[in-house]
mmCIF file of all heavy atoms in Angstrom:
data_model
loop_
_atom_site.group_PDB
_atom_site.id
_atom_site.type_symbol
_atom_site.label_atom_id
_atom_site.label_comp_id
_atom_site.label_asym_id
_atom_site.label_seq_id
_atom_site.Cartn_x
_atom_site.Cartn_y
_atom_site.Cartn_z
ATOM 1 N N THR A 7 19.753 -8.421 20.403
ATOM 2 C CA THR A 7 19.163 -9.263 19.379
ATOM 3 C C THR A 7 20.079 -10.436 19.037
ATOM 4 O O THR A 7 19.633 -11.575 18.901
ATOM 5 C CB THR A 7 18.885 -8.434 18.108
ATOM 6 O OG1 THR A 7 18.009 -7.362 18.432
ATOM 7 C CG2 THR A 7 18.266 -9.283 17.018
ATOM 8 N N TYR A 11 19.069 -14.525 19.551
ATOM 9 C CA TYR A 11 19.019 -15.526 18.481
ATOM 10 C C TYR A 11 20.181 -16.507 18.562
ATOM 11 O O TYR A 11 20.074 -17.608 18.004
ATOM 12 C CB TYR A 11 18.919 -14.832 17.133
ATOM 13 C CG TYR A 11 17.518 -14.267 16.960
ATOM 14 C CD1 TYR A 11 17.231 -12.941 17.268
ATOM 15 C CD2 TYR A 11 16.461 -15.075 16.583
ATOM 16 C CE1 TYR A 11 15.960 -12.446 17.182
ATOM 17 C CE2 TYR A 11 15.171 -14.601 16.491
ATOM 18 C CZ TYR A 11 14.913 -13.285 16.795
ATOM 19 O OH TYR A 11 13.648 -12.798 16.740
ATOM 20 N N CYS A 24 7.066 -15.247 17.508
ATOM 21 C CA CYS A 24 6.013 -15.202 16.503
ATOM 22 C C CYS A 24 5.102 -16.418 16.578
ATOM 23 O O CYS A 24 5.409 -17.406 17.208
ATOM 24 C CB CYS A 24 6.636 -15.148 15.111
ATOM 25 S SG CYS A 24 7.839 -13.836 14.917
ATOM 26 N N THR A 26 3.163 -19.685 14.944
ATOM 27 C CA THR A 26 3.630 -20.729 14.034
ATOM 28 C C THR A 26 2.992 -20.535 12.667
ATOM 29 O O THR A 26 1.794 -20.334 12.550
ATOM 30 C CB THR A 26 3.254 -22.103 14.600
ATOM 31 O OG1 THR A 26 3.853 -22.258 15.883
ATOM 32 C CG2 THR A 26 3.758 -23.214 13.687
ATOM 33 N N GLU A 43 10.535 -26.119 14.272
ATOM 34 C CA GLU A 43 10.722 -25.627 15.629
ATOM 35 C C GLU A 43 11.530 -24.327 15.653
ATOM 36 O O GLU A 43 11.368 -23.506 16.556
ATOM 37 C CB GLU A 43 11.437 -26.687 16.474
ATOM 38 C CG GLU A 43 10.594 -27.928 16.728
ATOM 39 C CD GLU A 43 11.372 -29.006 17.445
ATOM 40 O OE1 GLU A 43 12.611 -28.879 17.612
ATOM 41 O OE2 GLU A 43 10.744 -30.019 17.840
ATOM 42 N N TYR A 46 11.319 -18.887 13.117
ATOM 43 C CA TYR A 46 11.123 -17.647 13.847
ATOM 44 C C TYR A 46 10.651 -16.531 12.913
ATOM 45 O O TYR A 46 11.381 -15.576 12.623
ATOM 46 C CB TYR A 46 12.445 -17.229 14.551
ATOM 47 C CG TYR A 46 13.010 -18.316 15.423
ATOM 48 C CD1 TYR A 46 14.367 -18.644 15.358
ATOM 49 C CD2 TYR A 46 12.213 -19.035 16.297
ATOM 50 C CE1 TYR A 46 14.908 -19.641 16.161
ATOM 51 C CE2 TYR A 46 12.741 -20.051 17.098
ATOM 52 C CZ TYR A 46 14.095 -20.337 17.021
ATOM 53 O OH TYR A 46 14.623 -21.331 17.801
ATOM 54 N N SER A 50 4.813 -15.600 5.722
ATOM 55 C CA SER A 50 5.577 -16.315 4.702
ATOM 56 C C SER A 50 6.107 -15.341 3.664
ATOM 57 O O SER A 50 5.431 -14.380 3.295
ATOM 58 C CB SER A 50 4.700 -17.365 4.013
ATOM 59 O OG SER A 50 5.413 -18.024 2.984
ATOM 60 N N ASN A 60 13.872 -19.930 -12.322
ATOM 61 C CA ASN A 60 15.088 -20.090 -11.517
ATOM 62 C C ASN A 60 15.698 -18.772 -11.054
ATOM 63 O O ASN A 60 16.840 -18.446 -11.375
ATOM 64 C CB ASN A 60 16.151 -20.885 -12.280
ATOM 65 C CG ASN A 60 15.735 -22.309 -12.556
ATOM 66 O OD1 ASN A 60 15.174 -22.960 -11.690
ATOM 67 N ND2 ASN A 60 15.979 -22.779 -13.756
ATOM 68 N N ILE A 136 20.425 -9.855 -7.597
ATOM 69 C CA ILE A 136 19.395 -10.697 -6.982
ATOM 70 C C ILE A 136 18.045 -10.431 -7.640
ATOM 71 O O ILE A 136 17.666 -9.280 -7.886
ATOM 72 C CB ILE A 136 19.299 -10.418 -5.472
ATOM 73 C CG1 ILE A 136 20.645 -10.726 -4.784
ATOM 74 C CG2 ILE A 136 18.163 -11.208 -4.838
ATOM 75 C CD1 ILE A 136 21.061 -12.188 -4.839
ATOM 76 N N ASP A 137 17.313 -11.529 -7.919
ATOM 77 C CA ASP A 137 15.966 -11.393 -8.482
ATOM 78 C C ASP A 137 14.908 -11.246 -7.384
ATOM 79 O O ASP A 137 13.981 -10.445 -7.505
ATOM 80 C CB ASP A 137 15.624 -12.626 -9.338
ATOM 81 C CG ASP A 137 16.517 -12.754 -10.546
ATOM 82 O OD1 ASP A 137 16.459 -11.864 -11.406
ATOM 83 O OD2 ASP A 137 17.259 -13.749 -10.624
ATOM 84 N N ALA A 139 14.652 -10.950 -3.126
ATOM 85 C CA ALA A 139 15.246 -10.854 -1.785
ATOM 86 C C ALA A 139 14.117 -10.969 -0.774
ATOM 87 O O ALA A 139 12.979 -10.565 -1.047
ATOM 88 C CB ALA A 139 15.977 -9.525 -1.608
ATOM 89 N N PHE A 145 13.238 -6.916 9.949
ATOM 90 C CA PHE A 145 13.401 -5.464 9.849
ATOM 91 C C PHE A 145 12.755 -4.720 11.000
ATOM 92 O O PHE A 145 13.116 -3.579 11.282
ATOM 93 C CB PHE A 145 12.832 -4.953 8.519
ATOM 94 C CG PHE A 145 13.768 -5.162 7.349
ATOM 95 C CD1 PHE A 145 14.904 -5.951 7.473
ATOM 96 C CD2 PHE A 145 13.517 -4.580 6.118
ATOM 97 C CE1 PHE A 145 15.773 -6.154 6.412
ATOM 98 C CE2 PHE A 145 14.375 -4.749 5.051
ATOM 99 C CZ PHE A 145 15.503 -5.540 5.189
ATOM 100 N N ILE A 157 16.837 -1.374 4.233
ATOM 101 C CA ILE A 157 16.037 -1.339 3.003
ATOM 102 C C ILE A 157 16.905 -0.897 1.829
ATOM 103 O O ILE A 157 16.814 -1.440 0.720
ATOM 104 C CB ILE A 157 14.814 -0.418 3.182
ATOM 105 C CG1 ILE A 157 13.880 -0.993 4.250
ATOM 106 C CG2 ILE A 157 14.072 -0.274 1.858
ATOM 107 C CD1 ILE A 157 12.735 -0.059 4.608
ATOM 108 N N ARG A 162 19.805 -2.070 -3.191
ATOM 109 C CA ARG A 162 21.101 -2.074 -3.891
ATOM 110 C C ARG A 162 21.354 -3.416 -4.584
ATOM 111 O O ARG A 162 21.807 -3.434 -5.731
ATOM 112 C CB ARG A 162 22.234 -1.778 -2.912
ATOM 113 C CG ARG A 162 23.634 -1.914 -3.511
ATOM 114 C CD ARG A 162 24.720 -1.684 -2.480
ATOM 115 N NE ARG A 162 24.763 -2.700 -1.439
ATOM 116 C CZ ARG A 162 25.331 -3.898 -1.581
ATOM 117 N NH1 ARG A 162 25.879 -4.250 -2.737
ATOM 118 N NH2 ARG A 162 25.354 -4.746 -0.566
ATOM 119 N N CYS A 177 1.588 -2.194 13.702
ATOM 120 C CA CYS A 177 0.750 -1.787 14.827
ATOM 121 C C CYS A 177 0.219 -0.387 14.581
ATOM 122 O O CYS A 177 0.977 0.528 14.282
ATOM 123 C CB CYS A 177 1.568 -1.821 16.118
ATOM 124 S SG CYS A 177 0.669 -1.262 17.554
ATOM 125 N N GLY A 198 9.299 -2.584 17.795
ATOM 126 C CA GLY A 198 9.647 -1.811 16.603
ATOM 127 C C GLY A 198 8.509 -1.784 15.569
ATOM 128 O O GLY A 198 8.716 -1.281 14.475
ATOM 129 N N ALA A 208 8.585 3.901 4.233
ATOM 130 C CA ALA A 208 10.001 3.571 4.359
ATOM 131 C C ALA A 208 10.516 2.874 3.099
ATOM 132 O O ALA A 208 11.668 3.049 2.695
ATOM 133 C CB ALA A 208 10.226 2.686 5.590
ATOM 134 N N THR A 235 2.761 -1.804 29.317
ATOM 135 C CA THR A 235 1.773 -0.960 28.641
ATOM 136 C C THR A 235 0.536 -0.839 29.509
ATOM 137 O O THR A 235 0.201 -1.765 30.269
ATOM 138 C CB THR A 235 1.383 -1.560 27.264
ATOM 139 O OG1 THR A 235 0.360 -0.765 26.680
ATOM 140 C CG2 THR A 235 0.905 -2.995 27.387
ATOM 141 N N GLU A 237 -2.517 -0.309 28.259
ATOM 142 C CA GLU A 237 -3.699 -0.771 27.520
ATOM 143 C C GLU A 237 -3.314 -1.870 26.563
ATOM 144 O O GLU A 237 -2.147 -2.075 26.255
ATOM 145 C CB GLU A 237 -4.320 0.400 26.743
ATOM 146 C CG GLU A 237 -3.363 1.045 25.757
ATOM 147 C CD GLU A 237 -3.971 2.231 25.048
ATOM 148 O OE1 GLU A 237 -5.201 2.435 25.173
ATOM 149 O OE2 GLU A 237 -3.236 2.962 24.354
ATOM 150 N N ILE A 244 1.942 -8.476 8.528
ATOM 151 C CA ILE A 244 1.716 -7.992 7.176
ATOM 152 C C ILE A 244 2.724 -8.622 6.228
ATOM 153 O O ILE A 244 3.906 -8.767 6.565
ATOM 154 C CB ILE A 244 1.793 -6.453 7.125
ATOM 155 C CG1 ILE A 244 1.391 -5.931 5.743
ATOM 156 C CG2 ILE A 244 3.168 -5.954 7.497
ATOM 157 C CD1 ILE A 244 1.269 -4.420 5.679
ATOM 158 N N ASP A 256 4.011 10.505 -10.814
ATOM 159 C CA ASP A 256 2.960 10.863 -9.883
ATOM 160 C C ASP A 256 2.989 10.030 -8.598
ATOM 161 O O ASP A 256 2.013 9.976 -7.860
ATOM 162 C CB ASP A 256 1.583 10.732 -10.545
ATOM 163 C CG ASP A 256 1.311 9.332 -11.076
ATOM 164 O OD1 ASP A 256 2.260 8.507 -11.100
ATOM 165 O OD2 ASP A 256 0.160 9.061 -11.465
ATOM 166 N N HIS A 281 -6.258 1.823 -18.419
ATOM 167 C CA HIS A 281 -7.100 0.981 -17.576
ATOM 168 C C HIS A 281 -8.429 0.714 -18.289
ATOM 169 O O HIS A 281 -9.206 1.643 -18.532
ATOM 170 C CB HIS A 281 -7.377 1.659 -16.228
ATOM 171 C CG HIS A 281 -6.136 2.141 -15.555
ATOM 172 N ND1 HIS A 281 -5.900 3.464 -15.273
ATOM 173 C CD2 HIS A 281 -5.037 1.476 -15.131
ATOM 174 C CE1 HIS A 281 -4.723 3.603 -14.702
ATOM 175 N NE2 HIS A 281 -4.160 2.400 -14.603
ATOM 176 N N VAL A 282 -8.659 -0.520 -18.646
ATOM 177 C CA VAL A 282 -9.881 -0.928 -19.311
ATOM 178 C C VAL A 282 -10.672 -1.834 -18.373
ATOM 179 O O VAL A 282 -10.190 -2.884 -17.953
ATOM 180 C CB VAL A 282 -9.596 -1.665 -20.628
ATOM 181 C CG1 VAL A 282 -10.897 -2.138 -21.283
ATOM 182 C CG2 VAL A 282 -8.835 -0.749 -21.589
ATOM 183 N N ALA A 290 -8.255 -5.536 -10.268
ATOM 184 C CA ALA A 290 -7.423 -5.060 -9.159
ATOM 185 C C ALA A 290 -6.778 -3.735 -9.560
ATOM 186 O O ALA A 290 -6.259 -3.592 -10.673
ATOM 187 C CB ALA A 290 -6.356 -6.093 -8.832
ATOM 188 N N CYS A 292 -4.444 -0.122 -8.121
ATOM 189 C CA CYS A 292 -3.645 0.494 -7.063
ATOM 190 C C CYS A 292 -4.428 1.664 -6.479
ATOM 191 O O CYS A 292 -5.434 2.102 -7.020
ATOM 192 C CB CYS A 292 -2.290 0.943 -7.591
ATOM 193 S SG CYS A 292 -2.353 2.364 -8.695
ATOM 194 N N THR A 300 -12.402 7.336 -8.858
ATOM 195 C CA THR A 300 -13.403 7.934 -7.967
ATOM 196 C C THR A 300 -13.642 9.391 -8.351
ATOM 197 O O THR A 300 -14.786 9.867 -8.333
ATOM 198 C CB THR A 300 -12.935 7.842 -6.503
ATOM 199 O OG1 THR A 300 -12.793 6.468 -6.134
ATOM 200 C CG2 THR A 300 -13.913 8.515 -5.564
ATOM 201 N N GLY A 320 -4.201 -6.927 -12.718
ATOM 202 C CA GLY A 320 -4.834 -5.644 -12.555
ATOM 203 C C GLY A 320 -4.060 -4.523 -13.241
ATOM 204 O O GLY A 320 -3.309 -4.739 -14.200
#
Side-chain angles (χ1 to χ4, degrees):
T7 301
Y11 287 96
C24 307
T26 301
E43 293 174 352
Y46 306 133
S50 178
N60 295 318
I136 300 296
D137 296 297
F145 280 10
I157 296 173
R162 174 183 66 80
C177 177
T235 176
E237 58 183 349
I244 186 172
D256 58 350
H281 310 118
V282 177
C292 71
T300 298

